[in-house]
Amino acid sequence: MAVRKKIKQKLKSITLLDKYILKQVGEMFLMGVCVFSSIIFASDTFITLIKQISLFGIPFKVALMMIILNLPQVIVMTIPMGVLLATVMTLNGLSLKSEITVMRACGIGLNRIAKPIFVFAILMSIFSFVINESVVPVMSRQSKDLALWALGQKNIPDGKQNFVFKELSKDGMLKRLFYVGYCEDKTLHNITVLDTSKEGTIQVLQAEEGKTSPSGWDFRKGAVYTVGQEGKVLNTTLFEDSNVKFGLDLSKELNKNIAKEMNFMELLKFISTKLNTVDERHRNVVVIELYDKLALPLTTIALVLIGVPLAITPPRVRYNRGFLFSILIIFAYYLIRALSISFGEAGAIPAFFAAWTPNIVLTALGAVLYYKKVYTIE
């Protein structure tokens, strides 16, 4: 009975230790995610906002909504940062207060102290993977659709009657000519489109109504006439509803990284069936993104492995160096990540190593430091 009682007391004390560490890690993690997300939003994200407005003429409200839709993608990037900051700050604080020394005196080693942190890191890796698989692709698609809708809407003069607008090719030649009877509620009425983009033929489209959508122009109740060079009508097609990709050349800029709009299985299927439809550089981007969907969530565990030994402060050090260590480690990680992905996109290294090199480097270095720290203490 006495032995059983001691075992229960020990289990209870272990549970209290886990709760004590996890509480501090959780608080620092939330703070870290908020801080790093704010930094990214204040720098890279708002630069993107200005670029969308200046290059594509997208309204400010639409561009701001696109940025909000990209928030889950930012959070996925900041989760490893937040976990690392929480790990280093928590253990560094415990070390400065001599609490780790007291735990060791009670027979609790560094492995046991770090156990709840590793469990927390694994849970955050799973959470990051789930968000990246379920929320990020949906939000990315909605962001692109919103941008394409804005591109189509920006040149529609609502309320105007009997007007013409044209689309020119890159060399300044007439590509398409639009005549519109009148425009009401962003819907065009009595439309005639003269399309000279196909060499050797001219297409004339007439429709009662038309409006833009993310997939192009939607026309209702009309006909398409194909006229040859000699003026002879080669073909006539009647339609109730038709979708035509007119005037969406700028959308190519928004379709450069289609991998963000797919989860792991969808991207795997795309690579196996349609990879040859994209150019070589974007092909590398797509394959790297596939490997990165697994590598990025697991970065959390790699960062904890290297953060734990660096957070244990020697007795002679009496200041909190946790935040400085966190910033340096994060900077080193993303520098390696940026370099490896750039080399991978250029085809200098295989796509697998482009995505996994940062994790491999951190895990190898962290394993050596962790082993030395545990061996030295214990």
Side-chain angles (χ1 to χ4, degrees):
M1 292 293 293
V3 175
R4 186 178 297 177
K5 187 176 181 180
K6 287 182 179 180
I7 293 174
K8 287 183 178 179
Q9 289 177 348
K10 192 172 182 179
L11 290 173
K12 185 177 180 181
S13 65
I14 290 174
T15 304
L16 291 174
L17 174 63
D18 292 338
K19 289 181 180 179
Y20 178 67
I21 295 176
L22 285 174
K23 181 182 178 182
Q24 296 186 58
V25 169
E27 291 173 354
M28 291 301 303
F29 169 75
L30 293 176
M31 186 195 76
V33 169
C34 293
V35 169
F36 290 123
S37 297
S38 300
I39 292 173
I40 293 177
F41 259 68
S43 56
D44 181 68
T45 308
F46 277 102
I47 291 174
T48 303
L49 170 63
I50 295 171
K51 189 181 294 184
Q52 298 285 2
I53 294 173
S54 60
L55 290 181
F56 304 128
I58 295 176
F60 178 81
K61 292 182 179 179
V62 176
L64 186 60
M65 182 60 68
M66 290 167 57
I67 288 177
I68 294 174
L69 289 173
N70 286 323
L71 180 60
Q73 186 175 335
V74 175
I75 291 176
V76 169
M77 292 290 295
T78 57
I79 283 176
M81 303 182 195
V83 172
L84 174 64
L85 179 67
T87 300
V88 176
M89 293 293 287
T90 299
L91 291 181
N92 208 182
L94 293 176
S95 181
L96 289 173
K97 297 174 185 176
S98 301
E99 293 183 68
I100 289 182
T101 303
V102 174
M103 293 177 192
R104 288 180 56 223
C106 296
I108 302 175
L110 180 59
N111 277 325
R112 181 61 190 87
I113 296 171
K115 182 179 177 180
I117 300 177
F118 278 108
V119 172
F120 182 78
I122 293 171
L123 292 176
M124 288 302 101
S125 294
I126 296 172
F127 176 72
S128 176
F129 179 78
V130 171
I131 293 295
N132 204 26
E133 284 292 287
S134 58
V135 180
V136 171
V138 175
M139 294 296 190
S140 296
R141 284 194 294 266
Q142 290 181 348
S143 177
K144 191 188 77 171
D145 288 347
L146 187 61
L148 293 176
W149 175 84
L151 286 174
Q153 291 287 306
K154 69 174 185 176
N155 291 323
I156 297 181
D158 203 14
K160 197 173 181 180
Q161 296 182 352
N162 297 319
F163 61 92
V164 176
F165 59 95
K166 57 186 177 180
E167 181 185 352
L168 301 178
S169 61
K170 292 182 179 180
D171 54 4
M173 301 296 291
L174 180 65
K175 193 175 181 180
R176 296 183 185 93
L177 185 68
F178 292 74
Y179 167 78
V180 180
Y182 65 97
C183 181
E184 188 177 71
D185 296 328
K186 295 294 183 181
T187 300
L188 308 179
H189 298 270
N190 300 335
I191 309 160
T192 300
V193 181
L194 180 66
D195 186 357
T196 61
S197 60
K198 295 182 179 180
E199 188 176 353
T201 61
I202 297 175
Q203 283 192 329
V204 179
L205 183 149
Q206 292 181 320
E208 291 186 10
E209 293 182 0
K211 60 181 180 179
T212 61
S213 69
S215 58
W217 284 82
D218 292 328
F219 294 105
R220 293 186 66 252
K221 296 182 179 180
V224 178
Y225 307 97
T226 302
V227 182
Q229 291 180 332
E230 299 177 354
K232 184 178 180 181
V233 177
L234 303 178
N235 187 30
T236 301
T237 304
L238 303 177
F239 63 85
E240 284 292 321
D241 296 283
S242 179
N243 180 269
V244 186
K245 297 184 183 299
F246 283 161
L248 291 178
D249 292 340
L250 291 177
S251 66
K252 294 177 182 178
E253 292 295 324
L254 302 172
N255 284 316
K256 284 185 176 179
N257 195 356
I258 57 175
K260 294 290 184 184
E261 302 171 22
M262 294 180 270
N263 58 34
F264 185 84
M265 295 307 298
E266 290 171 342
L267 191 54
L268 189 64
K269 183 178 179 181
F270 177 86
I271 291 173
S272 62
T273 57
K274 300 180 181 179
L275 188 61
N276 292 330
T277 61
V278 297
D279 59 78
E280 184 177 356
R281 182 174 178 83
H282 290 160
R283 197 179 305 164
N284 293 335
V285 172
V286 170
V287 179
I288 292 172
E289 184 66 28
L290 176 71
Y291 291 119
D292 195 51
K293 286 183 180 294
L294 297 176
L296 184 59
L298 291 176
T299 302
T300 304
I301 302 173
L303 288 174
V304 169
L305 185 63
I306 197 174
V308 168
L310 291 178
I312 307 300
T313 306
R316 63 182 179 275
V317 178
R318 303 310 302 169
Y319 63 92
N320 195 322
R321 57 185 187 177
F323 185 77
L324 176 61
F325 271 152
S326 300
I327 297 300
L328 291 176
I329 296 170
I330 290 170
F331 175 78
Y333 165 72
Y334 282 102
L335 177 62
I336 297 171
R337 175 181 168 85
L339 289 173
S340 63
I341 289 180
S342 297
F343 284 131
E345 291 178 353
I349 60 175
F352 175 84
F353 288 106
W356 282 93
T357 293
N359 284 11
I360 294 172
V361 172
L362 287 181
T363 302
L365 181 60
V368 172
L369 293 175
Y370 191 87
Y371 174 80
K372 287 185 176 180
K373 183 66 69 173
V374 172
Y375 179 81
T376 302
I377 293 178
E378 297 182 350

